[in-house]
Amino acid sequence: MTETPSQTVGPFLSIGLTWPTGYLVVPEGSPGAIRITGTVHDGAGEPVPDGLVETWQADADGRFDDPTFGFGRAATRPDGSYEIVTVKPGALGDGQAPHVDVSVFARGLLDRVVTRIYFPDEAAANAADPLLAGLPAERAATLVAAAAGPGELRFDIRLGGERETVFLVL
Amino acid sequence: MTYRPAADGTHPPLLSPGYRSTGLRAPSQAPVVLPQRLTEVTGPALTGPVGPSDADLTTQHAGEPIGQRIVVFGRVLDSDGRAVPDSLVEIWQANAAGRYAHARDDWPAPLDPNFTGGGRVITGSDGSYRFTTIKPGAYPWGNHHNAWRPAHIHLSLFGRAFTQRLVTQMYFPDDPLFAQDPIFNSVPDEKARLRMVSTFDLDATRPDWALAYRFDIVLRGGDQTPFEAPHDEEGHA
């Protein structure tokens, strides 16, 4: 059978795709909770106020045993920012560094773009990660979040322009 | 189990100059191939956010929405023809006048106080889904001179794995606006493009109440089918 093609979410995705607690992979204040915030930028560096970021990850032990856990969803705000409250995923034990898969949707994106968030306190694991190790250092750096205070990380997504985020084809 | 890529021409190129907003939003660098590992071959099973009136967009407010009632139904399958059960389907759309219930939609068509345009449902064991809603209107937009979006309903699908995630749009048969719409026409392959057009189904109408459109959705299929390992039946070894 032929696949159904992808189309843009359009600018009004919040009517159907969001819910108020979508950004909470874990409740606020949960043990080990971290807050990942960032801004989605277009190729001119302007914020994308009509985008959606979705995340999918293993639990803190590196497991996917519970398919109702590990999904986060946040629409971007008028300033292009988003936030996800989650826990740091454990390593999967297969040589990959701890990571979160990310989808970005927006008006003007005819298909989602996919990227990954890696963690800044995993220097050794990141150096050995097959994806990161295969990229030039300056490009790999676009996939590693920045520490932004206790339990706080920053992960900006740049659809184009300088320091364009590395996007992935699955 | 990994998921095979779609045939060439199925999905639109991210840079589609006819659709102007792709210009600054399409990445300029080629995407990097990521082998599918555990994170990619798993996916969320979401059932929590679905409320009891979410499948009927005509009963979410105190009064009846204006417009033609329609049933939108079909099955979610993968490209091997297997049903995708227990999976969240989300829709959003404009009202009968072509206006979205959204603060940033400034098209001066009437808002409908009885229509928000958002719906959710979980697929059945055979991958089936069904919504009752209002046929959305076409609307003009600023992409090019006299640009109008054909009437459409946005749909979001999760499938069983991160690789199967899909957002698409359902169009209506014989829409005269197809030829000038760069979003519809961003799909290079005509047969794939026509898969986004629903089918009028007289047998599925609700008599004296609602017209019906069938829309089956096909997600990525597997490179192999290890979940159903070959086995010999008793006595046929």
Side-chain angles (χ1 to χ4, degrees), chain A residues 1-19 41-44 47-52 54-58 62 64 67-71 73 78 92 94-96 99-103 105-116 118 130-131 135 139 159-161 164-170, chain B residues 4-6 10-14 16 19 21-22 24-34 36-40 42-46 49 77-79 81 88 90-93 100-102 104-105 116-118 120 149 154 156 158 162-169 171 183-184 186-187 192-193 195-196 215-220:
Chain A
M1 303 179 77
T2 315
E3 269 184 68
T4 307
S6 174
Q7 295 274 272
T8 175
V9 293
F12 307 128
L13 58 96
S14 62
I15 290 172
L17 283 183
T18 58
W19 54 83
H41 298 276
D42 70 14
V48 172
D50 45 14
L52 182 82
E54 287 183 349
T55 62
W56 174 243
Q57 64 170 89
F64 287 96
T68 67
F69 178 86
F71 177 72
R73 171 187 268 182
L92 303 181
D94 61 359
Q96 298 187 98
H99 61 269
V100 174
D101 274 11
V102 178
S103 302
F105 302 84
R107 171 181 62 85
L109 282 178
L110 283 162
D111 199 353
R112 66 169 172 166
V113 289
V114 169
T115 187
R116 271 186 171 185
Y118 287 88
L131 171 62
L135 294 168
R139 297 223 73 210
L159 299 174
E164 178 179 304
T165 301
V166 170
F167 295 103
L168 307 169
V169 59
L170 304 174
Chain B
R4 63 174 175 272
T10 300
H11 295 301
L14 290 172
S16 293
Y19 174 20
S21 295
T22 67
L24 284 173
R25 294 190 169 186
S28 62
Q29 307 225 29
V32 174
V33 174
L34 178 71
Q36 295 170 26
R37 308 292 284 276
L38 201 50
T39 315
E40 291 74 44
T42 53
L46 303 168
L77 306 166
D78 72 16
S79 59
L88 179 65
E90 296 165 291
I91 64 171
W92 64 106
Q93 63 170 94
Y100 287 89
H102 193 287
R104 288 207 300 269
D105 188 353
T116 305
R120 293 192 165 110
R149 287 302 330 275
H154 296 266
S156 161
F158 284 92
F162 186 77
T163 46
Q164 288 187 305
R165 183 84 177 90
L166 178 72
V167 168
T168 188
Q169 297 179 22
Y171 297 90
I183 294 180
F184 178 75
S186 67
V187 174
R193 198 155 66 228
R195 284 202 52 80
M196 301 188 294
F215 188 60
D216 293 332
I217 302 153
V218 182
L219 308 177
R220 288 173 73 168

Side-chain angles (χ1 to χ4, degrees), chain B residues 140-216:
Chain B
W141 61 309
N143 186 72
H144 58 273
H145 173 68
N146 202 23
W148 293 77
R149 287 302 330 275
H152 62 278
I153 295 176
H154 296 266
L155 291 104
S156 161
L157 296 309
F158 284 92
R160 313 292 275 175
F162 186 77
T163 46
Q164 288 187 305
R165 183 84 177 90
L166 178 72
V167 168
T168 188
Q169 297 179 22
M170 182 197 104
Y171 297 90
F172 292 86
D174 304 321
D175 195 314
L177 295 170
F178 287 154
Q180 60 80 60
D181 181 51
I183 294 180
F184 178 75
N185 290 299
S186 67
V187 174
D189 181 72
E190 185 187 16
K191 283 185 179 144
R193 198 155 66 228
L194 293 175
R195 284 202 52 80
M196 301 188 294
V197 182
S198 59
T199 308
F200 176 70
D201 189 333
L202 185 66
D203 292 335
T205 54
R206 287 176 59 191
D208 308 318
W209 190 251
L211 296 175
Y213 293 87
R214 169 182 281 278
F215 188 60
D216 293 332

Side-chain angles (χ1 to χ4, degrees), chain A residues 36-165:
Chain A
I36 302 172
T37 60
T39 300
V40 181
H41 298 276
D42 70 14
E46 295 298 314
V48 172
D50 45 14
L52 182 82
V53 173
E54 287 183 349
T55 62
W56 174 243
Q57 64 170 89
D59 67 18
D61 299 321
R63 304 178 75 93
F64 287 96
D65 293 349
D66 176 1
T68 67
F69 178 86
F71 177 72
R73 171 187 268 182
T76 58
R77 306 179 183 110
D79 66 354
S81 67
Y82 73 93
E83 80 176 297
I84 298 282
V85 175
T86 186
V87 290
K88 184 179 165 185
L92 303 181
D94 61 359
Q96 298 187 98
H99 61 269
V100 174
D101 274 11
V102 178
S103 302
V104 182
F105 302 84
R107 171 181 62 85
L109 282 178
L110 283 162
D111 199 353
R112 66 169 172 166
V113 289
V114 169
T115 187
R116 271 186 171 185
I117 302 171
Y118 287 88
F119 292 83
D121 57 347
E122 293 281 353
N126 289 347
D129 181 84
L131 171 62
L132 293 178
L135 294 168
E138 71 276 11
R139 297 223 73 210
T142 69
L143 300 182
V144 183
E152 303 272 338
L153 293 169
R154 180 162 190 90
F155 187 76
D156 291 330
I157 298 167
R158 295 179 182 82
L159 299 174
E162 284 187 36
R163 290 178 293 149
E164 178 179 304
T165 301

Side-chain angles (χ1 to χ4, degrees), chain B residues 22-84:
Chain B
T22 67
L24 284 173
R25 294 190 169 186
S28 62
Q29 307 225 29
V32 174
V33 174
L34 178 71
Q36 295 170 26
R37 308 292 284 276
L38 201 50
T39 315
E40 291 74 44
V41 301
T42 53
L46 303 168
T47 55
V50 179
S53 64
D54 286 1
D56 187 344
L57 285 70
T58 69
T59 58
Q60 295 175 349
H61 299 280
E64 283 276 344
I66 298 295
Q68 176 67 61
R69 269 182 233 100
I70 59 172
V71 173
V72 173
F73 74 104
R75 294 178 71 204
V76 182
L77 306 166
D78 72 16
S79 59
D80 299 311
R82 291 182 294 196
V84 180

